[in-house]
Amino acid sequence: MRHFTDLAALDAAAIERLLESAQELEAEPLRETLRGKVLGLVFFNPSLRTLSSFQAGMAQLGGSSFVLAPGQGTWKLEVRDGVVMDGDAAEHIREAIPVLGQYADVLGVRAFPEGKSLEHDLSEPLLASLLRHTCKPLVNLESAMDHPCQALGDWKTLDDTGVPRRGGRMVLSWAWHPKALPLAVPAAVLKMGAMRGMDVTVLRPDGFGLPAPVMERARALAAGAGGSVQETEDREGALEGAHVLYAKSWQSPRYYGDPNGESALRSEFREWCVQESWFRPARSDAIFMHCLPVRRNVVVADEVLDGPRSRVVPQAANRLHVQKAILLDLLGGSR
Ligand code: CP
């Protein structure tokens, strides 16, 4: 593996190797395999899990890491090509990324979408630019439309819980949130469920359907893996016999780049907060998943988050194990 930027760039055998490696690393966490190796982490946006789990993971493998938050103690970085840099940004990623590659053996970057044009953000221009300028392996720590580390950790959580791959039924449900949130996590989770061969239903109110290219790609991946992808606003029907309810809020693609229109539409759906009663049509052992951070009693009720269905902490724990497997693979360390 040269980079880790998109789960769908890996074949089934490569994913299986990463999951096996993560299982071994969970059982035996401490290694010296990456002694002397350095991970450089660049966070254009905030994080709790991704930042701390990558630093902890690198330390547990014998290596070290540094973190930059551009504009907060380091130069603000320009990411657009061809601009006159007479604003806040003192340095361009065209220099910054190759320079960081002189100090680090692997780089991880988190950069959320610009949020103005859906077509622009769907094409992942910043991720493409980072890949052009890096001389070292790159890990996508969440880009405009993807969060592959989250998706791989969630795949492991589903395996650990015994949710079947083929025949496993996952409902990816939209939830209300006071802010318009990016599409990266729902797109990544949908892709993961499809690649895992599950039957995935996207449950969302009218106006919150995921972008057509995201749905089309997921349908193609599901077809190749023996699964399926549907979408509906019928909650009861979607959850009939479900193994998993994965909740996430995302902004309306219909009003992308139009905050007022988006906010007006979203305000109609405040009752989309996951309650225990939502699980009535599901399997009795159905689980609840969310990538975190999550707003209690806004996205999901305390009764679900604190109840036996919740897998949110094991999901976060699995981020550590799978990311260590990714680092070992990228840096050529033997297991
Ligand atoms: N799920 C996730 O990526 O968490 P952070 O935003 O805290 O890194």
Side-chain angles (χ1 to χ4, degrees):
M1 199 164 65
R2 172 88 179 93
H3 303 289
F4 185 78
T5 55
D6 177 358
L7 207 56
L10 305 181
D11 62 21
I15 290 175
E16 224 49 68
R17 277 196 301 276
L18 287 173
L19 290 167
E20 277 172 26
S21 173
Q23 206 71 46
E24 291 171 13
L25 287 156
E26 182 177 9
E28 199 185 323
L30 303 184
R31 313 279 170 93
E32 286 299 318
T33 323
L34 299 188
R35 178 180 285 279
K37 300 287 186 187
V38 176
L39 165 66
L41 294 165
V42 182
F43 281 88
F44 286 94
N45 309 96
S47 166
L48 185 149
R49 277 145 293 276
T50 307
L51 190 158
S52 48
S53 58
F54 264 105
Q55 289 211 282
M58 200 61 187
Q60 291 176 4
L61 294 172
S64 60
S65 53
F66 62 81
V67 181
L68 302 181
Q72 298 170 47
T74 55
W75 305 118
K76 191 163 183 194
L77 297 180
E78 179 59 68
V79 299
R80 298 165 299 167
D81 283 331
V83 295
V84 177
M85 287 177 52
D86 57 359
D88 287 348
E91 183 156 13
H92 201 283
I93 57 166
R94 293 175 78 101
E95 286 75 49
I97 292 297
V99 165
L100 292 174
Q102 307 305 305
Y103 314 139
D105 300 283
V106 53
L107 292 173
V109 180
R110 166 168 286 192
F112 290 174
E114 208 174 287
K116 293 179 186 156
S117 153
L118 181 57
E119 201 180 357
H120 175 85
D121 288 342
L122 280 168
S123 69
E124 295 272 24
L126 179 51
L127 187 59
S129 179
L130 291 165
L131 284 166
R132 271 197 307 278
H133 300 309
T134 186
C135 53
K136 293 291 166 64
L138 184 77
V139 181
N140 180 355
L141 307 181
E142 187 173 339
S143 61
M145 293 289 159
D146 213 341
H147 196 349
C149 296
Q150 183 68 49
L152 188 61
D154 290 342
W155 186 318
K156 182 175 180 306
T157 304
L158 291 166
D159 285 355
D160 292 351
T161 312
V163 174
R165 294 187 178 186
R166 286 199 185 187
R169 300 187 64 181
M170 178 163 73
V171 175
L172 171 60
S173 178
W174 184 86
W176 186 80
H177 192 282
K179 293 181 177 173
L181 297 184
L183 298 163
V185 170
V189 170
L190 175 62
K191 183 163 42 176
M192 178 277 294
M195 290 176 70
R196 203 171 172 268
M198 300 177 79
D199 297 315
V200 187
T201 301
V202 181
L203 171 64
R204 81 294 178 277
D206 185 39
F208 287 86
L210 291 170
V214 171
M215 293 297 289
E216 282 159 20
R217 190 166 186 219
R219 286 200 171 103
L221 290 165
S228 65
V229 171
Q230 294 80 228
E231 61 181 329
T232 181
E233 39 187 318
D234 169 16
R235 188 177 297 154
E236 289 271 322
L239 280 156
E240 187 68 44
H243 294 83
V244 185
L245 195 172
Y246 197 119
K248 184 73 185 81
S249 191
W250 62 84
Q251 66 185 290
S252 166
R254 188 181 291 171
Y255 289 99
Y256 208 86
D258 171 6
N260 293 336
E262 206 280 345
S263 177
L265 179 65
R266 192 157 26 89
S267 68
E268 295 175 28
F269 303 111
R270 260 204 96 128
E271 86 286 0
W272 282 66
C273 170
V274 180
Q275 315 283 329
E276 179 59 29
S277 60
W278 284 33
F279 287 88
R280 223 170 279 136
R283 288 170 54 100
S284 58
D285 60 354
I287 60 170
F288 173 80
M289 297 177 74
H290 189 285
C291 62
L292 302 181
V294 72
R295 292 190 183 225
R296 283 175 171 262
N297 304 310
V298 170
V299 167
V300 54
D302 283 345
E303 61 180 357
V304 175
L305 209 45
D306 297 331
R309 299 186 188 283
S310 179
R311 291 293 182 281
V312 298
V313 174
Q315 280 180 263
N318 277 325
R319 293 288 305 277
L320 174 67
H321 311 313
V322 300
Q323 288 162 192
K324 286 166 71 180
I326 292 163
L327 289 169
L328 281 181
D329 191 299
L330 289 173
L331 292 173
S334 76
R335 286 196 245 153

